[in-house]
Amino acid sequence: VVVVGGGIAGLSATLHAARAGAQVRLIEKENTLGGRIQYDTSKFQLPDSDTQQYGFDIAKKLTEEMMRLANCRVVSAATAFAWYDEGILAVVREGELWELKPKCVVVATGSYENPMVFENNDLPGIFLAGGLQRLMHRDFIRPGRTAVVVSHNDRGYGLAHQLMDAGVAVAAIIDNQQEEKA
């Protein structure tokens, strides 16, 4: 089994396949596993737990569980870039090109954020939540002094708390949820 993507879904798929007895190769484009959740300081409730846990703790726990399994191999800093009709999966890593022919492929490449559409939404200082979280929690960069958070779900409030924890004053939170429901 080849799992493409080392975020929470990819780690979970890898663990399930390996526990079922499969030889598993996990392909991840980053150098670390865990995906976006490792930069999110919000708490999450997993289906098999009664308590909430930090995203980075969940990523660490799943990574450690997977690394203990002898039938798992992680290929980091690699990109699966093509999947051909013959069942060949092409993977590239600096100085290497692999052609894999797995019996099963799980594509767990995650989701992506859709930016709000408005004039000049690409100017410096306008961020998507994931970019802000990476700046603050991976690169330890404070993304400014004052922010306005615009959100269409409850996660915007969590992001506002993370910004305040990083020393950024939150001038306003604009909640689009009611507009979308109307």
Side-chain angles (χ1 to χ4, degrees), residues 9-180:
L11 287 167
S12 297
T14 299
L15 283 167
H16 284 6
R19 288 177 182 149
Q23 292 293 319
V24 186
R25 189 172 290 183
L26 174 62
I27 310 293
E28 169 55 41
K29 70 178 180 177
E30 301 292 333
N31 289 319
T32 58
L33 299 175
R36 220 179 304 171
I37 201 169
Q38 66 184 322
Y39 309 119
D40 190 339
T41 58
S42 302
K43 286 191 171 184
F44 299 89
Q45 180 139 3
L46 297 177
D48 60 346
S49 175
D50 292 335
T51 61
Q52 292 189 337
Q53 301 171 45
Y54 289 108
F56 51 84
D57 286 335
I58 295 168
K60 181 180 178 186
K61 177 185 168 208
L62 293 175
T63 299
E64 288 172 350
E65 283 180 42
M66 190 219 34
M67 296 301 250
R68 285 194 290 267
L69 299 174
N71 54 338
C72 291
R73 180 171 175 212
V74 176
V75 182
S76 59
T79 301
F81 67 91
W83 190 6
Y84 298 102
D85 288 341
E86 303 83 26
I88 295 174
L89 185 69
V91 178
V92 65
R93 183 163 70 176
E94 188 175 333
E96 302 172 305
L97 174 63
W98 301 347
E99 290 182 14
L100 306 175
K101 194 164 186 177
K103 291 180 182 174
C104 179
V105 175
V106 176
V107 178
T109 53
S111 62
Y112 58 92
E113 294 176 272
N114 290 316
M116 293 182 68
V117 179
F118 58 91
E119 188 175 345
N120 296 323
N121 72 347
D122 59 347
L123 291 176
I126 298 175
F127 294 94
L128 296 175
L132 280 175
Q133 290 170 325
R134 281 191 303 278
L135 277 175
M136 294 185 296
H137 306 301
R138 181 188 71 187
D139 303 328
F140 306 107
I141 295 172
R142 185 178 66 184
R145 291 187 180 94
T146 306
V148 172
V149 176
V150 180
S151 181
H152 64 276
N153 59 44
D154 292 338
R155 304 243 3 212
Y157 294 92
L159 180 63
H161 283 285
Q162 292 175 41
L163 284 163
M164 290 186 293
D165 289 344
V168 177
V170 175
I173 300 173
I174 299 169
D175 188 338
N176 257 352
Q177 292 181 85
Q178 295 304 319
E179 275 186 34
E180 290 181 3

